[in-house]
Amino acid sequence: FNFFRLMMPQIDRERGNYGIKEAGLAKMFSDALLLPPYESERLKHYKNPTKQPQGSPTGDFALCYKTSLRLGEGHLDQHDSGQIEHNFGQLGKDAKVFSKLVQQCNLLEIKWVTKLILKDLKLGLGHEMLLRMYHPLSLDIFNATSDLRSVFS
């Protein structure tokens, strides 16, 4: 259930929006990593090409911060991922949880955590296909109940 919940955040009714958009994430990254003001501005104005260095991506927040963030070679193990999934709702409310998460992750992991928070995975797979891959009747169950948890119980 937890895996599919993370893969299809747009249809997970139990976990609402996190109350965080790109501007809020930019501030959280700036605070967690103590970024200099010009880097904070770049993150905040991720859609503005004049604020970005030549050749860096513009318009996609999850890719734009790559040139701003200087992270260690952290790596999440399976236990950490479970903790993140469990505490996902607190990311926007508790700066310490987010700061700890950012410091434990490498750039690739932060990219996907960012996409999960924004509920913008763009996997190229719709929830219909993912549910059918799990079980042929799971899409029918979801369409009847609109409850992701009931599909997996």
Side-chain angles (χ1 to χ4, degrees), residues 35-140:
L35 294 177
Y38 67 94
E39 295 288 352
S40 298
E41 283 296 308
R42 284 191 52 233
L43 284 178
K44 192 188 315 181
H45 302 288
Y46 71 99
K47 288 184 179 180
N48 186 344
T50 62
K51 299 272 186 180
Q52 307 304 322
Q54 186 74 23
S56 69
T58 303
D60 184 350
F61 184 83
L63 295 175
C64 186
Y65 67 81
K66 258 183 148 177
T67 56
S68 294
L69 302 184
R70 314 276 191 273
L71 298 178
E73 294 301 315
H75 183 68
L76 295 175
D77 60 28
Q78 190 169 5
H79 172 72
D80 292 331
S81 326
Q83 280 298 104
I84 290 167
E85 199 281 327
H86 178 70
N87 294 324
F88 228 52
Q90 296 177 356
L91 287 177
K93 301 172 189 148
D94 189 352
K96 291 178 188 173
V97 172
F98 185 79
S99 181
K100 182 179 177 185
L101 171 66
V102 168
Q103 292 168 1
Q104 286 179 325
C105 293
N106 61 34
L107 280 172
L108 182 63
E109 292 164 341
I110 286 293
K111 170 187 167 184
W112 287 105
V113 168
T114 301
K115 286 179 171 284
L116 286 169
I117 291 170
L118 297 173
K119 294 189 173 189
D120 185 26
L121 294 181
K122 296 180 185 168
L123 295 174
L125 298 171
H127 70 275
E128 296 91 356
M129 182 179 285
L130 288 170
L131 288 172
R132 279 194 198 110
M133 287 174 18
Y134 175 70
H135 189 275
L137 296 177
S138 60
L139 181 59
D140 295 333

Side-chain angles (χ1 to χ4, degrees), residues 15-30:
R15 184 181 290 145
N17 290 334
Y18 305 111
I20 307 170
K21 291 289 185 192
E22 290 85 350
L25 268 177
K27 181 173 178 5
M28 291 170 68
F29 276 121
S30 298

